[in-house]
Amino acid sequence: MTYRKLIKGFDAFKRDFFGKEVNADYQKLVEEGQRPETLVIACSDSRIDPALLTYSDLGQFFAIRNVAALVPPYGEKDNLHGVSAAIEYAVRALGVKHIVVLGHAGCGGINALATGNYQVEPNTEFEFIEKWLDIARHAKERIDAEMPDADQAYKISTLEQAAVIVSLHNLLSFPWIKSRCDDNVLKIHGWCFDMQQGELYEYQPDRGIFDTVDVTGQDKALLTAQNGLDFFIKNKACCASDAA
Ligand SMILES: [Zn+2]
């Protein structure tokens, strides 16, 4: 029935949305092309919808979704790089002004990385997921080393946030992202959404922590080399009771 619901949903879209005067913005986007100012990199998790979370309209942001919202480091050009290709298009062709990495609490990918439990049948191995999660494995190892006595839930929640930091830094390994950040024409931001609490946490590069978004505050999320993973883990290790 779920698949049929998709088909019926399209029918409703065609009947109630497409071509309607009230949705002229949609027609304008179709005719004139997209000019999104933001790239959002989110998890593929079906419960995380960046458009819903931000109450965004069509055309407002370019989106990449993958397991655990990870960004790989700038790499060899002779491999297949779906994520990097989409990042390149957003930055170099569309000229986005912001990139948001949107991690989340309760992420199955991060949980698998943290625990080694991939929830598959015995003797069954995934072919691609473990290798993909290796992007953030050094963060897991640092957390295990820096906070050996913390409980597992706290380590997982720390890793959910640390993985966002890893992705922010990997974004800066792309030379055309680094140069745009240096020129202040592109800003990158780290978010972590807690779907149980309905809270959105934003990485605060000056303090090395994630804090609830300040809806009235100034944009201050320009990342520098001084406030990366080390800074974040040091701050988390210092205040092991404030799990977000
Ligand atoms: Zn996830």
Side-chain angles (χ1 to χ4, degrees), residues 68-71 101-103 110 135-136 138-139 143 157-173 188-192 202-210 223-233 235-236:
L70 294 173
V71 174
V101 176
L102 171 58
I110 295 298
I135 291 171
H138 64 291
I143 289 166
S157 116
T158 302
L159 184 56
E160 284 160 352
Q161 297 179 348
V164 173
I165 311 278
V166 169
S167 288
L168 294 177
H169 275 262
N170 285 346
L171 282 170
L172 289 175
S173 69
I188 62 178
H189 314 266
W191 290 3
C192 198
E202 183 180 34
Y203 182 59
Q204 308 293 322
D206 49 343
R207 292 189 284 147
I209 58 167
F210 282 76
L223 201 74
T224 69
Q226 284 77 43
N227 45 44
L229 186 61
D230 285 352
F231 190 51
F232 169 72
I233 289 178
N235 279 281
K236 290 297 284 186

Side-chain angles (χ1 to χ4, degrees), residues 42-48 66-69 102-111 160 195:
C43 185
S44 298
D45 192 306
S46 61
R47 301 164 296 178
I48 303 296
N66 65 47
V67 171
L102 171 58
H104 69 102
C107 181
I110 295 298
N111 188 76
E160 284 160 352
M195 55 189 161

Side-chain angles (χ1 to χ4, degrees), residues 129-211:
I129 296 173
E130 197 165 349
K131 174 76 176 163
W132 174 251
L133 294 173
D134 276 349
I135 291 171
R137 191 167 302 279
H138 64 291
K140 174 215 167 359
E141 290 166 354
R142 284 292 311 280
I143 289 166
D144 286 342
E146 296 288 333
M147 43 186 87
D149 300 327
D151 64 36
Q152 183 76 309
Y154 186 77
K155 285 184 181 177
I156 291 171
S157 116
T158 302
L159 184 56
E160 284 160 352
Q161 297 179 348
V164 173
I165 311 278
V166 169
S167 288
L168 294 177
H169 275 262
N170 285 346
L171 282 170
L172 289 175
S173 69
F174 290 73
W176 26 266
I177 290 179
K178 177 75 167 66
S179 63
R180 282 167 173 79
C181 286
D182 288 345
D183 293 342
N184 211 24
V185 294
L186 173 64
K187 292 183 176 177
I188 62 178
H189 314 266
W191 290 3
C192 198
F193 176 62
D194 184 329
M195 55 189 161
Q196 280 198 321
Q197 303 295 327
E199 285 289 354
L200 183 62
Y201 296 86
E202 183 180 34
Y203 182 59
Q204 308 293 322
D206 49 343
R207 292 189 284 147
I209 58 167
F210 282 76
D211 204 351

Side-chain angles (χ1 to χ4, degrees), residues 109-121:
I110 295 298
N111 188 76
L113 175 61
T115 63
N117 177 10
Y118 288 77
Q119 297 180 323
V120 289
E121 295 294 319

